Amino acid sequence: MNGKSFFIDLSRCTGCRGCQVACKQWKNKPVEPTVNTGSHQNPPDLSWQTLKVVRFTEVTVGGKFHWLFFPDQCRHCLDAPCKMVGDSEIQDAIVQDPETGAVVFTEKTKGLTADAVREACPYDIPRVDPATKVMYKCDMCNDRVHAGLLPSCVKTCPTGTMNFGDREDMLALAKNRLAALKPKYPQAELVDASTVRAIFLCPQPPSAYYKYVQYGDAAPSVLSRKAFLAKVLRPLRAFG
Ligand code: SF4
Ligand code: SF4
């Protein structure tokens, strides 16, 4: 099953936040009251009401100032660690669409240990509604995709940053754009492309954008995490 993927080309992002607003509109999520924290980033983080947030970072790389934009969202991991942890408590509280590959949180997530699900995510994505205990994140606009439409954020993005389609096509597009950017941005890279369905192309080192952009060399691999869950965590929970 190859399914679908996003290709998110950060060399084109202007930080307009159209994707963030489009996500809220399609998901019928309310605005959040916020205060000025000295950044254009608003609200300051993901939440159960804000499933996509554009992160703003000011950095100096190689002696040059950069204002970086990172439209953060669920990566729809091929072997999703959130689902592995969720299944150890309630089978299929988190499901994976066999056709598109979308990782989708159901109402049954209200029975999960939210902190454990969030900690399992290498990208710090899942959030819980404190009132209902249901967990939320991007679901790839799976309803739109099944109706032949683009995810709301992709449909709205005016710059070509957000792309979506069959996984092979997105991987090919990503590799072409990486090759085109390399002469100007030698440090450009595709982030975790072989393990996720939201493939970011970062012209600058991923850690310059935000601390949870990349799974990271120091982190355990998805495979070893899976083995850890199967061999250690589930038996421990069975005892508890
Ligand atoms: S990015 Fe996090 S929430 Fe999304 S599928 Fe992967 S582990 Fe789950
Ligand atoms: S809509 Fe496109 S250009 Fe605007 S912030 Fe989102 S990804 Fe960037």
Side-chain angles (χ1 to χ4, degrees), residues 17 20-21 23-25 27-37 40-55 118 125 127-130 136:
R17 285 190 294 217
Q20 183 179 312
V21 173
C23 176
K24 270 194 183 281
Q25 284 181 328
K27 293 299 176 194
N28 203 20
K29 295 283 192 184
V31 295
E32 294 186 68
T34 58
V35 293
N36 189 329
T37 58
H40 277 272
Q41 188 174 317
N42 184 11
D45 199 6
L46 295 167
S47 75
W48 70 274
Q49 300 173 103
T50 300
L51 311 183
K52 184 169 181 102
V53 72
V54 181
R55 300 188 184 280
R118 181 168 170 179
I125 298 295
R127 297 292 190 272
V128 64
D129 176 349
Y136 291 92

Side-chain angles (χ1 to χ4, degrees), residues 61-199:
V61 182
K64 214 174 155 192
F65 176 79
H66 296 272
W67 197 22
L68 303 179
F69 315 122
F70 184 75
D72 199 7
Q73 63 164 83
C74 171
R75 313 299 200 276
H76 297 278
C77 305
L78 301 187
D79 283 316
C82 61
K83 177 166 169 55
M84 292 172 204
V85 166
D87 283 349
S88 72
E89 292 192 318
I90 301 173
Q91 189 68 35
D92 289 339
I94 299 171
V95 296
Q96 197 155 24
D97 186 317
E99 195 175 326
T100 64
V103 178
V104 178
F105 283 10
T106 73
E107 287 268 318
K108 287 198 270 180
T109 53
K110 66 183 167 201
L112 299 178
T113 308
D115 285 350
V117 174
R118 181 168 170 179
E119 280 166 21
C121 174
Y123 308 101
D124 192 35
I125 298 295
R127 297 292 190 272
V128 64
D129 176 349
T132 66
K133 307 301 181 197
V134 177
M135 301 194 74
Y136 291 92
K137 67 166 191 68
C138 157
D139 69 357
M140 201 189 263
C141 283
N142 211 28
D143 51 350
R144 291 177 61 97
V145 174
H146 276 281
L149 301 172
L150 290 169
S152 188
C153 57
V154 179
K155 177 75 178 167
T156 301
C157 178
T159 63
T161 303
M162 299 294 308
N163 301 272
F164 184 83
D166 291 340
R167 181 165 174 79
E168 298 89 346
D169 295 342
M170 290 301 105
L171 282 169
L173 183 60
K175 283 174 190 159
N176 283 343
R177 278 298 294 161
L178 176 64
L181 283 186
K182 274 287 186 187
K184 188 171 178 191
Y185 301 99
Q187 296 191 81
E189 65 176 281
L190 297 172
V191 181
D192 300 338
S194 62
T195 55
V196 299
R197 292 185 184 277
I199 303 160

